[in-house]
Amino acid sequence: MLYTEPKVTVLARPQFAEPAHLPVAWKGESSDGERLAEFAGRLCYMSQHNPAGRTTAEYLENIKRQRHGSVLEHANYTLLFEGVSRSLTHELVRHRAGMAYSQLSQRYVDESEASFVVPPAIVGDAELEGAWRAQVEAAQAAYVALVEQLMDRYRWVDDKVHRRKMAREAARGVLPNSTETKIVVTGNARAWRTLLELRSSEGAELEIRRLAVLAIRVLQGEAPAFFSDVEVYDAADRRPAARFLHSKV
């Protein structure tokens, strides 16, 4: 299978349980994650009575404007990314603060029928796609052959699970960066903002930029007040990018 677009699925979102003895005078519609962040911010000043009469969206807009982003760290969102390349995840996992990752292991998972991600730069060009496809198909065939040969070479290893792991971990060296992978990513709202601001900019690598724009749209649906200052637009290269009004919250 060849992927030309990633897939993003929400796996987990915050669940806020307001303490009965510290009720907030809420205004406007909001998600649990947004209310959690507002509650945390109001606790700092014991302003639960909401003296300014702000909606949650207005309160969080002021938080972003003032760059008091620490209260956003209480709200965590977990996303599943599929249809992304191992080249992309090599970049993604550089973002450590406030993030957690669990990725498909090539040592344990058979890649004999692995999928691949077509690099965005060549999508739609039949000649380039053909040349690229020939290379990944050859690499996959080499992987299958190596696994078989290595399983035979280490036939003296009685534990078949360990033998398969030995074979796959060696054979994976011939697979390209375009090999499709799946990864579960958890981050707090502040960490997501930082990651997505960097990776959705015009200077970001095209595949991770495409994923970042999609993740922005998904998270805007989950918690619009956290990402209300983000604008997705068509960049000079005719591909979507995003800009954050309140940078480095």
Side-chain angles (χ1 to χ4, degrees):
M1 181 175 178
L2 301 181
Y3 284 88
T4 56
E5 294 288 342
K7 180 180 179 181
V8 177
T9 304
V10 179
L11 299 182
R13 56 180 65 88
Q15 183 176 7
F16 173 56
E18 182 181 15
H21 64 290
L22 290 172
V24 173
W26 307 105
K27 290 187 179 297
E29 296 294 323
S30 54
S31 67
D32 276 19
E34 293 162 337
R35 288 200 170 193
L36 174 58
E38 180 178 358
F39 180 87
R42 291 196 179 282
L43 182 72
C44 296
Y45 304 99
M46 294 302 289
S47 62
Q48 289 88 352
H49 58 296
N50 194 357
R54 288 180 173 142
T55 65
T56 298
E58 290 169 340
Y59 180 86
L60 293 174
E61 186 65 21
N62 185 59
I63 287 289
K64 290 180 292 186
R65 185 166 49 248
Q66 299 295 329
R67 289 180 169 79
H68 293 166
S70 60
V71 300
L72 306 186
E73 295 177 11
H74 295 288
N76 285 272
Y77 295 86
T78 300
L79 304 181
L80 167 64
F81 294 155
E82 300 175 273
V84 297
S85 71
R86 297 191 74 88
S87 177
L88 181 151
T89 58
H90 288 333
E91 294 195 47
L92 181 67
V93 299
R94 294 175 187 170
H95 298 272
R96 304 305 306 174
M99 307 298 298
Y101 304 96
S102 295
Q103 183 173 355
L104 179 154
S105 171
Q106 285 185 321
R107 296 181 70 203
Y108 291 90
V109 177
D110 181 17
E111 296 280 39
S112 297
E113 296 183 5
S115 297
F116 297 92
V117 179
V118 184
I122 70 173
V123 171
D125 187 308
E127 183 176 352
L128 289 175
E129 283 192 32
W132 171 85
R133 184 165 184 164
Q135 291 295 318
V136 298
E137 288 176 350
Q140 190 167 42
Y143 169 86
V144 171
L146 277 172
V147 169
E148 292 177 355
Q149 293 164 15
L150 288 162
M151 287 292 288
D152 182 64
R153 179 181 185 185
Y154 293 106
R155 59 186 177 277
W156 47 267
V157 177
D158 293 330
D159 187 336
K160 290 184 179 180
V161 173
H162 183 57
R163 199 192 321 164
R164 283 197 299 269
K165 184 175 68 174
M166 293 173 67
R168 290 170 182 170
E169 70 186 20
R172 64 181 171 172
V174 301
L175 292 172
N177 273 344
S178 292
T179 306
E180 188 264 348
T181 189
K182 306 177 193 303
I183 186 168
V184 173
V185 185
T186 299
N188 65 63
R190 189 185 201 182
W192 274 119
R193 283 182 59 91
T194 299
L195 186 159
L196 295 175
E197 180 178 1
L198 291 170
R199 297 303 182 174
S200 66
S201 69
E202 292 189 37
E205 188 270 339
L206 286 178
E207 188 193 352
I208 200 169
R209 176 172 135 193
R210 179 177 65 187
L211 176 69
V213 169
L214 178 55
I216 285 169
R217 288 171 169 152
V218 169
L219 289 171
Q220 283 179 327
E222 283 291 313
F226 287 152
F227 299 92
S228 60
D229 61 320
V230 185
E231 177 193 5
V232 175
Y233 65 97
D234 287 331
D237 58 9
R238 300 179 182 178
R239 299 173 186 271
R243 59 172 67 96
F244 284 60
L245 176 61
H246 304 301
S247 179
K248 298 181 177 63
V249 167

Short mmCIF file of all heavy atoms in Angstrom, two decimals, residues 189-219:
data_model
loop_
_atom_site.label_atom_id
_atom_site.label_comp_id
_atom_site.label_asym_id
_atom_site.label_seq_id
_atom_site.Cartn_x
_atom_site.Cartn_y
_atom_site.Cartn_z
N ALA A 189 -1.19 20.55 25.88
CA ALA A 189 -1.59 21.55 24.88
C ALA A 189 -0.47 22.54 24.57
O ALA A 189 -0.30 22.96 23.43
CB ALA A 189 -2.84 22.30 25.36
N ARG A 190 0.31 22.89 25.58
CA ARG A 190 1.42 23.81 25.34
C ARG A 190 2.48 23.17 24.46
O ARG A 190 3.01 23.79 23.53
CB ARG A 190 2.02 24.25 26.67
CG ARG A 190 3.04 25.38 26.56
CD ARG A 190 3.68 25.66 27.91
NE ARG A 190 4.27 26.99 27.97
CZ ARG A 190 4.93 27.46 29.03
NH1 ARG A 190 5.05 26.71 30.11
NH2 ARG A 190 5.44 28.68 29.01
N ALA A 191 2.82 21.91 24.75
CA ALA A 191 3.83 21.20 23.97
C ALA A 191 3.36 20.98 22.54
O ALA A 191 4.13 21.10 21.58
CB ALA A 191 4.16 19.87 24.64
N TRP A 192 2.07 20.66 22.38
CA TRP A 192 1.52 20.51 21.03
C TRP A 192 1.65 21.82 20.26
O TRP A 192 2.00 21.82 19.06
CB TRP A 192 0.06 20.08 21.08
CG TRP A 192 -0.17 18.61 21.19
CD1 TRP A 192 -0.80 17.93 22.21
CD2 TRP A 192 0.19 17.60 20.23
NE1 TRP A 192 -0.84 16.59 21.95
CE2 TRP A 192 -0.25 16.35 20.74
CE3 TRP A 192 0.84 17.63 19.00
CZ2 TRP A 192 -0.05 15.15 20.05
CZ3 TRP A 192 1.04 16.45 18.31
CH2 TRP A 192 0.60 15.22 18.84
N ARG A 193 1.35 22.94 20.92
CA ARG A 193 1.47 24.24 20.23
C ARG A 193 2.90 24.47 19.75
O ARG A 193 3.12 24.91 18.63
CB ARG A 193 1.03 25.37 21.17
CG ARG A 193 -0.48 25.52 21.33
CD ARG A 193 -0.80 26.71 22.25
NE ARG A 193 -0.25 27.95 21.71
CZ ARG A 193 -0.90 28.78 20.90
NH1 ARG A 193 -2.14 28.50 20.53
NH2 ARG A 193 -0.32 29.88 20.47
N THR A 194 3.87 24.19 20.60
CA THR A 194 5.27 24.40 20.23
C THR A 194 5.66 23.52 19.05
O THR A 194 6.25 23.99 18.06
CB THR A 194 6.19 24.10 21.42
OG1 THR A 194 5.87 24.99 22.50
CG2 THR A 194 7.65 24.28 21.04
N LEU A 195 5.34 22.23 19.15
CA LEU A 195 5.67 21.29 18.08
C LEU A 195 5.01 21.70 16.76
O LEU A 195 5.67 21.77 15.71
CB LEU A 195 5.23 19.89 18.49
CG LEU A 195 5.58 18.69 17.59
CD1 LEU A 195 5.51 17.40 18.40
CD2 LEU A 195 4.67 18.57 16.37
N LEU A 196 3.72 22.00 16.82
CA LEU A 196 2.98 22.28 15.59
C LEU A 196 3.36 23.63 15.00
O LEU A 196 3.32 23.80 13.77
CB LEU A 196 1.48 22.20 15.87
CG LEU A 196 0.99 20.80 16.27
CD1 LEU A 196 -0.48 20.84 16.65
CD2 LEU A 196 1.23 19.80 15.16
N GLU A 197 3.73 24.58 15.83
CA GLU A 197 4.18 25.87 15.28
C GLU A 197 5.45 25.68 14.46
O GLU A 197 5.58 26.22 13.36
CB GLU A 197 4.44 26.87 16.41
CG GLU A 197 4.92 28.22 15.89
CD GLU A 197 5.14 29.25 16.99
OE1 GLU A 197 4.93 28.92 18.18
OE2 GLU A 197 5.52 30.39 16.66
N LEU A 198 6.38 24.89 14.98
CA LEU A 198 7.64 24.67 14.28
C LEU A 198 7.46 23.83 13.02
O LEU A 198 8.05 24.12 11.97
CB LEU A 198 8.64 23.99 15.22
CG LEU A 198 9.14 24.84 16.39
CD1 LEU A 198 9.92 23.97 17.37
CD2 LEU A 198 10.00 25.99 15.89
N ARG A 199 6.64 22.79 13.12
CA ARG A 199 6.55 21.83 12.02
C ARG A 199 5.51 22.19 10.97
O ARG A 199 5.44 21.52 9.94
CB ARG A 199 6.28 20.44 12.59
CG ARG A 199 7.40 19.93 13.50
CD ARG A 199 8.73 19.90 12.79
NE ARG A 199 9.79 19.37 13.66
CZ ARG A 199 11.03 19.13 13.27
NH1 ARG A 199 11.39 19.39 12.02
NH2 ARG A 199 11.92 18.66 14.12
N SER A 200 4.69 23.20 11.21
CA SER A 200 3.72 23.63 10.19
C SER A 200 4.19 24.86 9.43
O SER A 200 3.49 25.35 8.54
CB SER A 200 2.37 23.92 10.84
OG SER A 200 2.47 25.05 11.71
N SER A 201 5.36 25.36 9.75
CA SER A 201 5.85 26.58 9.10
C SER A 201 6.32 26.29 7.69
O SER A 201 6.56 25.13 7.31
CB SER A 201 7.01 27.17 9.91
OG SER A 201 8.15 26.33 9.83
N GLU A 202 6.47 27.32 6.89
CA GLU A 202 6.87 27.15 5.49
C GLU A 202 8.24 26.50 5.35
O GLU A 202 8.54 25.86 4.33
CB GLU A 202 6.85 28.51 4.77
CG GLU A 202 5.46 29.08 4.60
CD GLU A 202 5.43 30.31 3.71
OE1 GLU A 202 6.20 30.34 2.73
OE2 GLU A 202 4.63 31.22 3.98
N GLY A 203 9.09 26.66 6.35
CA GLY A 203 10.43 26.09 6.27
C GLY A 203 10.51 24.64 6.69
O GLY A 203 11.57 24.02 6.56
N ALA A 204 9.40 24.06 7.16
CA ALA A 204 9.42 22.67 7.62
C ALA A 204 9.45 21.71 6.44
O ALA A 204 9.01 22.03 5.34
CB ALA A 204 8.20 22.40 8.50
N GLU A 205 9.97 20.51 6.67
CA GLU A 205 9.98 19.45 5.65
C GLU A 205 8.55 19.15 5.25
O GLU A 205 7.64 19.16 6.08
CB GLU A 205 10.69 18.22 6.24
CG GLU A 205 10.96 17.11 5.26
CD GLU A 205 9.82 16.11 5.20
OE1 GLU A 205 9.02 16.03 6.14
OE2 GLU A 205 9.73 15.41 4.17
N LEU A 206 8.33 18.88 3.98
CA LEU A 206 6.96 18.84 3.44
C LEU A 206 6.07 17.79 4.09
O LEU A 206 4.89 18.05 4.35
CB LEU A 206 7.00 18.61 1.93
CG LEU A 206 7.45 19.80 1.08
CD1 LEU A 206 7.48 19.41 -0.40
CD2 LEU A 206 6.51 20.99 1.28
N GLU A 207 6.59 16.60 4.34
CA GLU A 207 5.72 15.56 4.89
C GLU A 207 5.30 15.88 6.32
O GLU A 207 4.12 15.74 6.68
CB GLU A 207 6.41 14.19 4.85
CG GLU A 207 5.43 13.08 5.24
CD GLU A 207 6.10 11.74 5.52
OE1 GLU A 207 7.32 11.61 5.29
OE2 GLU A 207 5.39 10.83 6.01
N ILE A 208 6.23 16.32 7.15
CA ILE A 208 5.87 16.62 8.54
C ILE A 208 5.02 17.89 8.61
O ILE A 208 4.16 18.03 9.47
CB ILE A 208 7.13 16.72 9.44
CG1 ILE A 208 6.73 16.52 10.91
CG2 ILE A 208 7.87 18.02 9.24
CD1 ILE A 208 7.91 16.32 11.83
N ARG A 209 5.23 18.79 7.67
CA ARG A 209 4.39 19.99 7.60
C ARG A 209 2.95 19.61 7.28
O ARG A 209 2.00 20.13 7.88
CB ARG A 209 4.95 20.95 6.55
CG ARG A 209 4.12 22.19 6.31
CD ARG A 209 4.91 23.13 5.41
NE ARG A 209 4.12 23.69 4.35
CZ ARG A 209 4.61 24.34 3.30
NH1 ARG A 209 5.92 24.44 3.14
NH2 ARG A 209 3.82 24.84 2.37
N ARG A 210 2.78 18.70 6.34
CA ARG A 210 1.45 18.22 5.98
C ARG A 210 0.76 17.59 7.19
O ARG A 210 -0.42 17.84 7.46
CB ARG A 210 1.57 17.21 4.84
CG ARG A 210 0.26 16.59 4.37
CD ARG A 210 0.49 15.66 3.20
NE ARG A 210 1.31 14.50 3.57
CZ ARG A 210 1.76 13.60 2.70
NH1 ARG A 210 1.51 13.74 1.41
NH2 ARG A 210 2.48 12.57 3.11
N LEU A 211 1.50 16.79 7.94
CA LEU A 211 0.94 16.15 9.14
C LEU A 211 0.60 17.20 10.19
O LEU A 211 -0.45 17.12 10.84
CB LEU A 211 1.94 15.15 9.71
CG LEU A 211 1.51 14.48 11.02
CD1 LEU A 211 0.33 13.54 10.78
CD2 LEU A 211 2.67 13.73 11.66
N ALA A 212 1.48 18.18 10.39
CA ALA A 212 1.25 19.21 11.40
C ALA A 212 -0.01 20.00 11.10
O ALA A 212 -0.79 20.31 12.01
CB ALA A 212 2.47 20.13 11.50
N VAL A 213 -0.23 20.34 9.85
CA VAL A 213 -1.43 21.08 9.47
C VAL A 213 -2.68 20.25 9.76
O VAL A 213 -3.67 20.76 10.29
CB VAL A 213 -1.38 21.51 7.99
CG1 VAL A 213 -2.73 22.04 7.53
CG2 VAL A 213 -0.29 22.56 7.78
N LEU A 214 -2.62 18.96 9.45
CA LEU A 214 -3.76 18.09 9.73
C LEU A 214 -3.99 17.97 11.24
O LEU A 214 -5.14 18.02 11.71
CB LEU A 214 -3.51 16.71 9.13
CG LEU A 214 -4.60 15.65 9.37
CD1 LEU A 214 -5.96 16.13 8.91
CD2 LEU A 214 -4.22 14.34 8.69
N ALA A 215 -2.91 17.83 12.01
CA ALA A 215 -3.05 17.73 13.47
C ALA A 215 -3.62 19.02 14.05
O ALA A 215 -4.42 18.98 15.01
CB ALA A 215 -1.69 17.43 14.10
N ILE A 216 -3.24 20.16 13.51
CA ILE A 216 -3.80 21.45 13.95
C ILE A 216 -5.32 21.43 13.76
O ILE A 216 -6.08 21.81 14.67
CB ILE A 216 -3.17 22.62 13.19
CG1 ILE A 216 -1.74 22.88 13.69
CG2 ILE A 216 -4.01 23.89 13.33
CD1 ILE A 216 -0.95 23.83 12.83
N ARG A 217 -5.76 21.01 12.60
CA ARG A 217 -7.20 20.99 12.32
C ARG A 217 -7.94 20.03 13.26
O ARG A 217 -9.04 20.34 13.73
CB ARG A 217 -7.43 20.61 10.86
CG ARG A 217 -7.03 21.73 9.90
CD ARG A 217 -7.05 21.31 8.45
NE ARG A 217 -6.91 22.46 7.55
CZ ARG A 217 -6.38 22.40 6.34
NH1 ARG A 217 -5.94 21.25 5.87
NH2 ARG A 217 -6.29 23.49 5.60
N VAL A 218 -7.32 18.89 13.55
CA VAL A 218 -7.94 17.93 14.48
C VAL A 218 -8.02 18.53 15.88
O VAL A 218 -9.06 18.45 16.54
CB VAL A 218 -7.14 16.61 14.49
CG1 VAL A 218 -7.60 15.71 15.64
CG2 VAL A 218 -7.29 15.89 13.15
N LEU A 219 -6.94 19.14 16.35
CA LEU A 219 -6.93 19.69 17.70
C LEU A 219 -7.79 20.95 17.81
O LEU A 219 -8.34 21.23 18.88
CB LEU A 219 -5.49 19.97 18.14
CG LEU A 219 -4.67 18.71 18.41
CD1 LEU A 219 -3.20 19.05 18.63
CD2 LEU A 219 -5.21 17.96 19.63
#
